[in-house]
Amino acid sequence: MFEEAAETAAMIRRRAGIAPKVALVLGSGLGAVAEAVEEPLKLSYQDVPGFPRPSVAGHGGSLILGHIAGRPVAVLQGRAHYYESGRADGMNLALATLKELGCARLILTNAAGSLRADVGPGRLMLIRDHINFAGVSPLFGLAGNERFVDLVDAYDPAARAAIAEIAGRLDLPLAEGVYVWFCGPHFETPAEIHAAQVLGGDAVGMSTVPEVIVARLLGLKVSALSMITNLAAGMSAEPLSHDQTMRHATAAAADMTRLLTAYLEELADD
Ligand code: HPA
């Protein structure tokens, strides 16, 4: 379906000489997680066909290959967002390339606003499910019956249980909830946030959902973690801004790194 991916994967394999089983996408302010990669080979997205050209401060735009906790990984620092182009398929080729490289598992991270007053800035939230409030799909325009992707248990239940168990052992408070995707780049209105709460959301953000959809089409096992950077619109007196997102994301990146490192260390090959 994504024919160019095989050729790009072969090029990456020649350069890196490793076969990553797990891919990690880093959200805003989470660049520090990339520092956990041992013996990294860093490729600029510009040199990798089909990879996005991010335009957001805090999104580096590199593919890093190496090991975390002894496990071969591909780390994507920076992602394409729907709001940058009005297209939701900006990560399709990159994710298809990772699958071709041998990745069976995808771990997505993002910065998000909390819909729950009891889960404030700096906390981590494991995503259990999502609501697609942007109303678009990364699969628009694809042909064939595979495009009718089943999204039940899109967020791998076994991985969720393992991550929650590890967080408990590390004494790291981990909320769990439903992520609501808004298109951005503007923040939401208080009325939209109220609606998202009533509909059963726990966090809001501008990414991740299209990646989950295409990853499930590709058959990857998916996990996703939000770093809460703010209470959502109307829930606090602090004005919303990208600066605020970056400040809190950077502060909580250490917790995210600990959790992901411990999870990768314990992950059995599959
Ligand atoms: N809304 C949408 N996206 C976000 C937010 C928010 O409040 N915080 C971080 N990313």
Side-chain angles (χ1 to χ4, degrees):
M1 200 172 312
F2 304 107
E3 287 78 18
E4 310 92 309
E7 199 178 316
T8 306
M11 180 276 280
I12 295 169
R13 204 175 295 119
R14 277 196 301 276
R15 298 268 311 261
I18 63 163
K21 289 278 173 50
V22 182
L24 254 149
V25 177
L26 303 181
S28 289
L30 280 165
V33 175
E35 283 157 28
V37 181
E38 299 140 26
E39 297 173 43
L41 172 80
K42 198 166 176 170
L43 301 173
S44 166
Y45 283 175
Q46 277 169 23
D47 301 325
V48 189
F51 274 55
R53 309 279 178 266
S55 65
V56 188
H59 290 263
S62 349
L63 169 64
I64 302 160
L65 296 131
H67 292 79
I68 296 182
R71 195 163 295 280
V73 291
V75 177
L76 278 74
Q77 196 171 10
R79 55 158 50 99
H81 296 86
Y82 174 55
Y83 61 73
E84 291 171 86
S85 63
R87 294 177 59 121
D89 62 357
M91 293 294 283
N92 287 13
L93 267 176
L95 297 181
T97 302
L98 295 169
K99 159 96 189 208
E100 287 285 342
L101 254 184
C103 292
R105 202 175 273 282
L106 176 68
I107 304 174
L108 301 164
T109 63
N110 61 43
S114 177
L115 296 172
R116 283 177 27 198
D118 62 319
V119 181
R123 290 280 304 275
L124 301 184
M125 186 183 288
L126 182 61
I127 301 180
R128 180 176 69 235
D129 203 347
H130 73 234
I131 297 173
N132 180 349
F133 236 35
V136 294
S137 173
L139 311 185
F140 282 170
L142 296 185
N145 285 347
E146 307 99 272
R147 69 186 140 167
F148 301 111
V149 176
D150 183 348
L151 293 177
V152 175
D153 285 337
Y155 300 84
D156 186 49
R160 271 172 22 225
I163 292 169
E165 191 273 320
I166 291 168
R169 225 183 314 131
L170 295 178
D171 223 0
L172 209 152
L174 181 67
E176 190 173 321
V178 172
Y179 177 90
V180 186
W181 179 34
F182 281 86
C183 69
H186 53 275
F187 286 103
E188 301 73 31
T189 64
E192 287 165 344
I193 290 306
H194 180 63
Q197 287 167 327
V198 169
L199 290 174
D202 298 286
V204 285
M206 305 176 192
S207 69
T208 304
V209 166
E211 294 152 41
V212 172
I213 295 170
V214 74
R216 292 306 298 145
L217 171 78
L218 295 165
L220 299 170
K221 287 188 179 167
V222 176
S223 304
L225 284 153
S226 287
M227 196 150 54
I228 300 300
T229 55
N230 56 283
L231 292 175
M235 293 176 66
S236 113
E238 202 179 340
L240 298 179
S241 69
H242 189 61
D243 273 0
Q244 181 199 37
T245 298
M246 295 303 290
R247 249 183 301 121
H248 288 293
T250 307
D255 277 353
M256 186 70 95
T257 307
R258 270 179 75 214
L259 183 57
L260 291 175
T261 306
Y263 176 59
L264 288 170
E265 206 169 337
E266 295 185 21
L267 193 57
D269 279 328
D270 51 12

